[in-house]
Amino acid sequence: MWIVRVSLGLGYVCKRWRRGIGVVIRKPKKQDYGEASSDRVINLLDVVRKCLERIMVGRMERWGQEGMGDEQFGGRVGRGSLDGVGLLYKSWEPGGGKGLMLCMDVKGGYENVGVRKGVERLREVGVDEYMIK
């Protein structure tokens, strides 16, 4: 799709593609439907934006895999959190030694990354400028 290529090349997404419609759907078997956690919001997006988003996610995942250290588990293809647990267990088993593991689930971590620091890190790992935009 030439329009997606042009958008990526410019590092710009037109306003129409940035809009979405939020549809609220109730989660099944909840005790109190008066609570916000009983609902799920589905965001309906323009088809072209969805295509653009999928292309960008694939490219960003590739850059992310290359930019993270080998000690990073979770949020990576083929290196989930349980892979880290398995690796730690394998190192314990033969010698009966000790190991250390730090597990973190940072709620809202993505939303709290400073924009300048995030852009700086993307440039460090070699992400193309159009993708940073």
Side-chain angles (χ1 to χ4, degrees):
M1 254 204 277
W2 68 270
I3 193 98
V4 172
R5 247 183 281 129
V6 170
S7 180
L8 288 173
L10 294 172
Y12 176 78
V13 178
C14 70
K15 288 181 182 177
R16 180 176 174 178
W17 296 350
R18 289 185 246 162
R19 288 188 303 220
I21 298 171
V23 178
V24 179
I25 299 174
R26 288 193 162 167
K27 294 179 182 176
K29 300 176 186 169
K30 290 290 180 176
Q31 298 240 343
D32 183 7
Y33 284 106
E35 294 183 24
S37 63
S38 299
D39 298 323
R40 174 181 291 124
V41 178
I42 307 279
N43 197 14
L44 304 175
L45 305 174
D46 189 277
V47 173
V48 178
R49 167 157 175 210
K50 199 67 180 163
C51 293
L52 183 62
E53 187 178 288
R54 292 221 175 162
I55 291 167
M56 288 301 296
V57 165
R59 292 179 183 186
M60 292 302 289
E61 281 178 349
R62 196 168 46 248
W63 283 108
Q65 296 298 325
E66 295 167 6
M68 291 184 215
D70 287 338
E71 65 279 352
Q72 171 68 37
F73 291 90
R76 298 180 72 178
V77 177
R79 289 181 65 89
S81 300
L82 289 177
D83 294 319
V85 172
L87 190 63
L88 181 62
Y89 184 75
K90 277 173 70 174
S91 70
W92 275 342
E93 219 173 38
K98 296 179 181 180
L100 174 67
M101 177 188 277
L102 172 64
C103 298
M104 293 174 34
D105 184 11
V106 181
K107 186 174 181 170
Y110 178 78
E111 292 86 0
N112 294 308
V113 172
V115 175
R116 280 188 297 204
K117 191 66 174 171
V119 168
E120 183 181 305
R121 181 69 180 124
L122 290 172
R123 285 189 176 121
E124 283 175 11
V125 297
V127 174
D128 294 331
E129 197 63 33
Y130 79 91
M131 290 174 69
I132 293 172
K133 288 181 184 177

